[in-house]
Amino acid sequence: PCLAARLHVADTNKIVRITDPEISPNGASVAFVVSHANLKTDKYDTEIALINLSTHHMRILTRRAKAGFPRWSPDGKTLAFLAEGSPAAKGKKDSSKKKKKKVLQIFLLPMNHSGDSVQLTHSPTDIEQLTWHPDSRAIAYVAQDKKPKRKGRAKYLDAFQVGNVNFLTRARTMPAHIWLVDLPSSLSAATMPRPRRLTSGSWSLPISMPPGPPASPLQWSPNGKEIYFVKVPSPDSGDQEQSTIQLLDVATGHYHPLTPYKDLEGYPVISPDGSQIAYLRSLDGKSWNALHVFLVPAHGGASKDITQKLDRNSFREIWMPGGKSLLVSGHNGTSAAIWIQPTNGAPSQRVNTGDVNPAEFFWLAASVGPHGAIAFAGSTPNDPGELFYIGPHHGAPVQLTHVNSFFTKLDIAKQKTITWPSMKGGPMSDGVLTYPIGYQPGKKYPLVLYIHGGPTYASLQTWTTFSQLFAAQGWLVFEPNYRGSDNLGNAYQAAIWNDAGQGPGEDVMAGLAKLEKMGIVDENNIAVSGWSYGGFMTSWLLGHSTIWKASVDGAAVNNWVDMYNLSDGNVQI
């Protein structure tokens, strides 16, 4: 193939992202978010699409800026979503001459007849998440508090107490709290109901920090009288690990913790019958351990670890219909996997996803339908991302969208999983080797060693833009997993504790030695790169080997004191 058919850096702007699929209550369609790069604004434009599961017909639903977070009403009649809107109600006078900045508001779109969406809220700050009341007549949502207005000389007193935040913080971070808004009797009503605050205080609900996962979602009890949420002591990023699950009485505003634990709890989801809460917590209460799925009675009690036999770091858990099992996701070797995990802790059953990797950054973008069908966003070795569907009987996945078909027409580099012995007494380490396009056996090629960050993450045999770009230029690309990676069990993941450099560094170099023995590497042309923890490991390798001809370490954690003093993670390290 000619060079013009290979991936070029300019082509990366054509990648379309699919996230947040939501199967409708009747199981007939899926709403999801589609994102396109906007080079003028240097941001992504997002819109909500709907695809019919019978015809595979796809249509765009929104005409709002930055539309996202689609959520079906339980009765299936209305789709709520977040989009930019006015913080002031239509017709309301504003004494300020300054133009109000649009923020994320809740919009309602009727699904049983034609009509445009209607703005429900006029929050002064961005709304971060929402969840429908079980009767479809109200919505609970989360928004940060508005910064207090200061007048006179106080306007210039901008000092604030520095908490566990990063060094770029220039003002006090405001806490996020829960609000409740009723729906109007008609979406065409002239006025919208006023929301009421359900929680307040200097503490906060967690605030999402991309590229990490979304914040823990609100969960209604089936009777609509209680809300489960996650509480952190402050909105400061460094305090996020002190997270606990709380049960809120909506009528009184009183709340209390669900378990005796004081930290590391997140992502509570209630069973279909309302009797149990599934949630994620680090094994043995140690932050460097894998996240496991625990069950606790809906009104508190002893917790039970149901994924101990699975022994993988769980990204997300979703209840299956009937409430006897959950859909669980995580890394497994050089792939992302989803399993059906019984609530009694019995061995899990892996769902067949073929060569599709159902994963985002530290998250699973998926939804389970009323009959057990699964819709999820995933990538393949030849495609950056599409929407896939697995029927109720969990056969092979069906591709629903073709938004990235442009890339399937290019000459895409081949990949292979490589394994090698590393950690004594542990599993075989693994990694992904991407061959240069036009690869010829017996010939040696320059190599880029590309190290993933985290370190609680994994390199996968799927689409990687970095690897494809270098392979198109004639390079081998090696993406190793090392102790600290979350793809081979808790012992392997936790082995990095008090051994941040030497152990993982030896794993990486052992993988490189395996490639050199294959006779495909030009030993005089080896480069190394990585981001975050991968940047640290790049720096560590530079200090422990002289083989590198080039290196780029991004956001490298090279000084632990600076990391503690300056970063958004600070006290968590």
Side-chain angles (χ1 to χ4, degrees):
C2 63
L3 188 61
R6 300 182 183 185
L7 182 70
H8 187 272
V9 67
D11 295 329
T12 62
N13 297 317
K14 300 174 184 176
I15 294 177
V16 180
R17 296 181 178 179
I18 288 182
T19 57
D20 214 357
E22 290 288 319
I23 300 178
S24 61
N26 64 5
S29 57
V30 183
F32 57 98
V33 179
V34 182
S35 303
H36 300 264
N38 187 326
L39 300 185
K40 292 183 179 180
T41 63
D42 196 25
K43 296 179 180 179
Y44 277 89
D45 293 334
T46 59
E47 52 196 6
I48 297 172
L50 184 75
I51 193 162
N52 184 293
L53 290 174
S54 296
T55 65
H56 293 189
H57 173 69
M58 171 181 155
R59 61 188 177 98
I60 302 300
L61 296 178
T62 55
R63 294 193 295 270
R64 306 282 179 180
K66 296 183 180 179
F69 209 89
R71 295 295 183 270
W72 293 93
S73 61
D75 61 15
K77 295 179 180 179
T78 308
L79 188 70
F81 62 92
L82 299 180
E84 286 188 337
S86 170
K90 188 176 181 180
K92 186 176 180 181
K93 292 184 178 180
D94 187 352
S95 57
S96 174
K97 295 181 180 180
K98 191 175 181 180
K99 187 177 180 180
K100 294 290 184 180
K101 178 184 177 182
K102 289 187 175 183
V103 296
L104 293 179
Q105 306 286 356
I106 298 175
F107 287 79
L108 302 176
L109 180 65
M111 300 301 291
N112 55 355
H113 60 83
S114 60
D116 197 6
S117 58
V118 176
Q119 184 174 337
L120 174 65
T121 60
H122 295 277
S123 171
T125 62
D126 284 330
I127 292 177
E128 299 181 6
Q129 58 162 296
L130 64 94
T131 184
W132 284 89
H133 189 280
D135 66 7
S136 301
R137 297 179 181 176
I139 291 176
Y141 65 88
V142 177
Q144 280 187 280
D145 288 348
K146 186 180 180 181
K147 292 181 180 179
K149 288 185 177 181
R150 295 180 298 185
K151 298 181 180 180
R153 297 178 63 183
K155 291 188 346 182
Y156 306 101
L157 301 176
D158 55 0
F160 65 99
Q161 183 175 355
V162 176
N164 295 324
V165 293
N166 69 78
F167 78 109
L168 296 175
T169 303
R170 294 292 179 263
R172 179 167 68 97
T173 307
M174 302 304 295
H177 282 285
I178 306 173
W179 295 75
L180 180 66
V181 60
D182 295 321
L183 265 66
S185 56
S186 170
L187 293 186
S188 60
T191 59
M192 292 291 169
R194 293 178 62 86
R196 63 184 177 98
R197 177 188 282 268
L198 297 184
T199 64
S200 61
S202 59
W203 61 271
S204 178
L205 276 79
I207 299 170
S208 177
M209 299 182 65
S216 292
L218 300 176
Q219 289 281 300
W220 282 99
S221 61
N223 62 15
K225 295 181 179 180
E226 298 156 325
I227 293 176
Y228 296 87
F229 69 96
V230 171
K231 176 186 176 185
V232 290
S234 82
D236 294 346
S237 56
D239 296 334
Q240 297 295 301
E241 285 188 350
Q242 300 177 51
S243 56
T244 56
I245 299 172
Q246 306 286 323
L247 177 57
L248 168 71
D249 185 305
V250 175
T252 65
H254 295 150
Y255 58 88
H256 61 83
L258 194 65
T259 78
Y261 299 133
K262 304 297 183 183
D263 58 7
L264 301 173
E265 294 183 332
Y267 301 92
V269 287
I270 194 163
S271 61
D273 65 0
S275 65
Q276 299 181 91
I277 291 290
Y279 67 96
L280 300 181
R281 189 170 192 263
S282 296
L283 183 64
D284 298 329
K286 297 176 180 178
S287 61
W288 55 88
N289 277 345
L291 289 172
H292 280 204
V293 180
F294 290 82
L295 289 184
V296 63
H299 286 87
S303 296
K304 177 178 67 173
D305 182 351
I306 65 170
T307 53
Q308 199 163 22
K309 294 180 180 178
L310 179 60
D311 191 26
R312 288 295 183 267
N313 185 51
S314 300
F315 288 159
R316 192 181 181 190
E317 78 290 21
I318 306 172
W319 284 96
M320 299 299 291
K324 294 183 179 180
S325 61
L326 294 104
L327 185 74
V328 177
S329 67
H331 291 145
N332 188 57
T334 56
S335 66
I338 51 179
W339 297 270
I340 302 297
Q341 174 63 58
T343 56
N344 61 8
S348 59
Q349 179 181 355
R350 184 168 178 177
V351 177
N352 175 23
T353 59
D355 65 347
V356 184
N357 277 274
E360 289 186 2
F361 284 114
F362 310 102
W363 187 244
L364 171 70
S367 174
V368 173
H371 307 296
I374 304 166
F376 66 95
S379 61
T380 70
N382 298 325
D383 193 313
E386 303 290 350
L387 182 66
F388 295 87
Y389 177 78
I390 296 176
H393 300 295
H394 298 165
V398 176
Q399 184 173 332
L400 296 178
T401 64
H402 297 85
V403 295
N404 284 305
S405 59
F406 166 82
F407 296 92
T408 63
K409 300 172 185 176
L410 299 179
D411 196 358
I412 301 299
K414 306 298 182 184
Q415 294 179 326
K416 181 181 180 180
T417 293
I418 304 294
T419 61
W420 65 92
S422 56
M423 190 176 79
K424 185 176 180 181
M428 296 279 285
S429 290
D430 57 22
V432 179
L433 175 65
T434 303
Y435 289 90
I437 293 175
Y439 171 77
Q440 298 176 13
K443 182 179 177 181
K444 291 187 175 183
Y445 292 88
L447 178 138
V448 176
L449 178 64
Y450 186 54
I451 308 169
H452 72 74
T456 311
Y457 200 66
S459 296
L460 308 178
Q461 189 171 325
T462 191
W463 176 275
T464 305
T465 302
F466 180 98
S467 299
Q468 291 295 337
L469 285 172
F470 273 83
Q473 300 299 319
W475 290 72
L476 287 163
V477 182
F478 180 46
E479 300 171 80
N481 292 314
Y482 47 85
R483 69 191 77 177
S485 301
D486 67 349
N487 61 326
L488 295 174
N490 186 71
Y492 190 79
Q493 176 177 324
I496 199 173
W497 178 249
N498 282 336
D499 187 16
Q502 187 70 34
E506 290 176 355
D507 295 344
V508 170
M509 293 303 290
L512 180 58
K514 171 70 177 286
L515 296 186
E516 291 175 333
K517 289 180 181 179
M518 294 168 61
I520 60 175
V521 178
D522 179 354
E523 294 88 345
N524 296 316
N525 285 288
I526 302 177
V528 59
S529 184
W531 190 266
S532 190
Y533 187 90
F536 159 75
M537 182 51 59
T538 297
S539 298
W540 190 93
L541 291 172
L542 287 175
H544 289 77
S545 176
T546 59
I547 67 172
W548 318 108
K549 296 303 180 183
S551 69
V552 177
D553 52 349
V557 186
N558 290 337
N559 187 310
W560 294 108
V561 175
D562 284 348
M563 179 72 175
Y564 180 89
N565 287 332
L566 306 177
S567 78
D568 53 5
N570 47 51
V571 297
Q572 297 180 21
I573 304 304

